[in-house]
Amino acid sequence: MSSSTTHTSTIGAIGAPSRRNTELALLAFAVVIPLFAYINVGLAIDGELPSGMLGYGCGLGLLASVGHIVVRRFAPYADPLLLPLSTLLNGLGLVVIWRLDQSEKLQSLAKTATGSFSASAPKQLMYSAIGIALFVAVLLLLKDHRVLQRYTYISMVVALALLLLPLVPGLGMNVFGARIWISVAGFSIQPGEFAKIVIAVFFAGYLMVKRDALALASRRFMGIYLPRGRDLGPIIVVWAMSILILVFETDLGTSLLFFGMFVVMLYVATERTSWIVFGLLMSSVGAVGVATFEPHVQERVDAWLNPFSDAVIASTGSDQIAQSLMAFGSGGVLGTGLGQGHSDLIGFAANSDFILATFGEELGLAGVMAILLIYGLIVERGVRTALAARDPFGKLLAIGLSGAFAIQVFVVSGGVMGLIPLTGMTMPFIANGGSSVIANWALVGILIRISDTARRPAPAPAPNPDAEMTQVVRP
């Protein structure tokens, strides 16, 4: 065999570098940065190093190490940034949750409401461990993401069941006016967080089969290709389902996420701008229609339009939006410093729905922009994975999961900052809550599996004996 043939075969077998050492170096920073933040909070509050510093650092480091080892072994060509970025957000969220646990005001509120105070940070660390365990299970059990395509319609049934569970009598819970929780064996679970992953699988499988029909346009109006009437059926069905969720569960966040993810995936599958236009129009009509007769949605809209109004605060019984906006304002550009803010004035939701306000006050505009940049990088790596995927199902699934993640970040941060009405969702990874952190670790696991398949080098072509004989016999 000639030297040129040997060289070509070697390059084809080796392919692109796996970048696992890069991931390991970034993971070290993703653990060290939250550890220094934890130390900073302890010094700011008590003037001494926190007693749980070693346990916290070892716990976060162990979780990161387990994730890295599994990725190195079972997804060696996966994107090197997804795991470190997710670990960094998870670690910073644990720090801020522990910081709010030290608030005497929040401890007093908890004792008044329930008779006792239970710290949230240890529970959140346990939920993070469960999330990493699910992340590991995804990589171990899901050898090829294309297997999920077989369960397209089963995924639809499972997603609908998860979305309807909070409406089951005796199982669903009404929390702050929204029925988005269920109680199982003493634990509160938000099924919508898991439904967004399952519904993305259904949308990807369905649109991969129907994209050619949905891409057809019957006429053009004002520069926009209008879809055929019979092709409007899917988007009308999904629109109606999102409206029903909004009406019966008064869950603005899940309905926006559900419908927005479908429109994004529909646009990517068909490349028709008309679907985006119809999606925006239908979401606007549905939101306005529900807001006119649903009291809970009306209250959230009123609190958004007039957050400092005494009448609105009296009618809603909460000044959380006003306190959140004041927290962002008092933070300025560089913030008051970790552990030195007053975001605990927000109340019970300070460590969950409004945790971004604590980042805004104590880390300032610079800190919030850094957090949003990390979220943006996760979305960007997801979109890059979709572009690199070699199969249409993988492309749609990656873009669907990335779009769902981006929409969730937008609706939560927008609600906390007063850009849009407040929803009942939480910021991925940083907010207190087991369902959110566990589901988002599973989401990242699927993205890593798709990226590993997309970046894995093609096997080297088998040597051709006839070609070798030709090279030998040639004079």
Side-chain angles (χ1 to χ4, degrees):
M1 183 182 295
S2 64
S3 60
S4 61
T5 304
T6 305
H7 177 72
T8 303
S9 299
T10 304
I11 295 297
I14 295 176
S18 66
R19 306 295 295 276
R20 298 280 65 83
N21 291 334
T22 301
E23 179 184 81
L24 181 60
L26 292 174
L27 271 176
F29 281 101
V31 173
V32 169
I33 291 174
L35 184 59
F36 273 101
Y38 187 70
I39 294 172
N40 197 346
V41 171
L43 293 174
I45 294 177
D46 301 321
E48 57 185 19
L49 295 176
S51 58
M53 178 181 65
L54 183 60
Y56 170 79
C58 291
L60 185 60
L62 178 62
L63 295 180
S65 300
V66 170
H68 172 72
I69 291 172
V70 173
V71 171
R72 180 180 286 269
R73 174 65 179 83
F74 295 98
Y77 294 97
D79 189 287
L81 290 181
L82 285 171
L83 180 59
L85 291 172
S86 304
T87 302
L88 178 58
L89 287 174
N90 201 163
L92 291 174
L94 286 166
V95 170
V96 174
I97 292 170
W98 180 80
R99 173 259 177 280
L100 292 170
D101 282 343
Q102 313 310 306
S103 168
E104 295 181 0
K105 177 178 177 58
L106 293 181
Q107 293 179 13
S108 176
L109 286 174
K111 291 177 181 178
T112 302
T114 63
S116 63
F117 168 75
S118 178
S120 299
K123 297 178 183 176
Q124 188 68 6
L125 184 59
M126 178 189 70
Y127 294 141
S128 300
I130 297 174
I132 289 290
L134 185 56
F135 170 85
V136 169
V138 167
L139 294 180
L140 291 179
L141 300 177
L142 188 63
K143 303 295 184 181
D144 189 341
H145 65 274
R146 288 169 292 189
V147 173
L148 297 175
Q149 186 181 347
R150 304 174 186 172
Y151 307 102
T152 297
Y153 292 98
I154 294 177
S155 300
M156 178 188 68
V157 174
V158 173
L160 290 177
L162 289 172
L163 291 172
L164 294 176
L165 277 178
L167 298 178
V168 177
L171 187 64
M173 300 169 55
N174 191 320
V175 180
F176 300 116
R179 294 186 65 88
I180 58 177
W181 297 89
I182 62 173
S183 178
V184 178
F187 291 94
S188 298
I189 302 173
Q190 193 171 350
E193 290 285 350
F194 301 94
K196 69 183 180 186
I197 300 175
V198 183
I199 202 69
V201 175
F202 164 66
F203 285 160
Y206 175 80
L207 293 175
M208 194 196 74
V209 176
K210 302 292 186 180
R211 59 180 178 174
D212 291 334
L214 294 170
L216 295 176
S218 58
R219 62 181 65 87
R220 187 174 181 177
F221 178 73
M222 297 181 63
I224 299 175
Y225 287 98
L226 301 178
R228 298 181 303 180
R230 63 177 177 270
D231 294 330
L232 286 173
I235 196 170
I236 291 176
V237 170
V238 175
W239 174 77
M241 290 169 58
S242 64
I243 294 299
L244 290 175
I245 294 172
L246 183 56
V247 170
F248 291 104
E249 298 184 6
T250 60
D251 182 11
L252 182 60
T254 300
S255 60
L256 284 174
L257 174 65
F258 184 47
F259 187 69
M261 177 173 59
F262 179 72
V263 172
V264 168
M265 296 177 70
L266 188 58
Y267 170 71
V268 171
T270 62
E271 300 182 6
R272 292 293 186 189
T273 310
S274 54
W275 288 116
I276 295 290
V277 175
F278 276 105
L280 292 175
L281 288 176
M282 295 180 72
S283 61
S284 300
V285 170
V288 171
V290 173
T292 56
F293 64 85
E294 179 57 49
H296 180 69
V297 178
Q298 287 179 351
E299 290 179 358
R300 293 200 168 184
V301 173
D302 291 339
W304 168 55
L305 295 175
N306 304 288
F308 296 98
S309 170
D310 292 335
V312 172
I313 293 175
S315 63
T316 59
S318 173
D319 62 345
Q320 290 178 329
I321 297 293
Q323 293 290 348
S324 174
L325 294 177
M326 287 190 285
F328 280 111
S330 62
V333 176
L334 298 178
T336 60
L338 284 171
Q340 301 181 60
H342 299 284
S343 60
D344 51 0
L345 294 174
I346 296 174
F348 284 117
N351 65 358
S352 55
D353 294 11
F354 290 89
I355 195 168
L356 190 64
T358 301
F359 282 94
E361 182 176 11
E362 301 190 354
L363 297 180
L365 176 64
V368 171
M369 293 304 296
I371 295 296
L372 295 180
L373 179 61
I374 296 172
Y375 281 120
L377 284 173
I378 293 177
V379 175
E380 185 270 338
R381 303 311 291 189
V383 173
R384 183 183 290 266
T385 296
L387 293 174
R390 301 166 186 168
D391 62 294
F393 176 77
K395 288 180 181 292
L396 287 172
L397 181 56
I399 203 68
L401 294 175
S402 303
F405 192 88
I407 292 171
Q408 184 168 351
V409 171
F410 169 74
V411 298
V412 177
S413 59
V416 173
M417 296 178 183
L419 180 63
I420 60 175
L422 189 68
T423 65
M425 305 186 76
T426 54
M427 288 293 280
F429 291 115
I430 66 174
N432 181 46
S435 301
S436 178
V437 70
I438 294 172
N440 282 295
W441 271 117
L443 185 150
V444 170
I446 297 175
L447 284 178
I448 284 181
R449 171 54 66 206
I450 298 173
S451 69
D452 174 64
T453 304
R455 298 175 74 248
R456 186 180 295 274
N464 188 345
D466 295 335
E468 295 180 16
M469 289 297 295
T470 302
Q471 292 176 2
V472 173
V473 174
R474 183 182 301 161

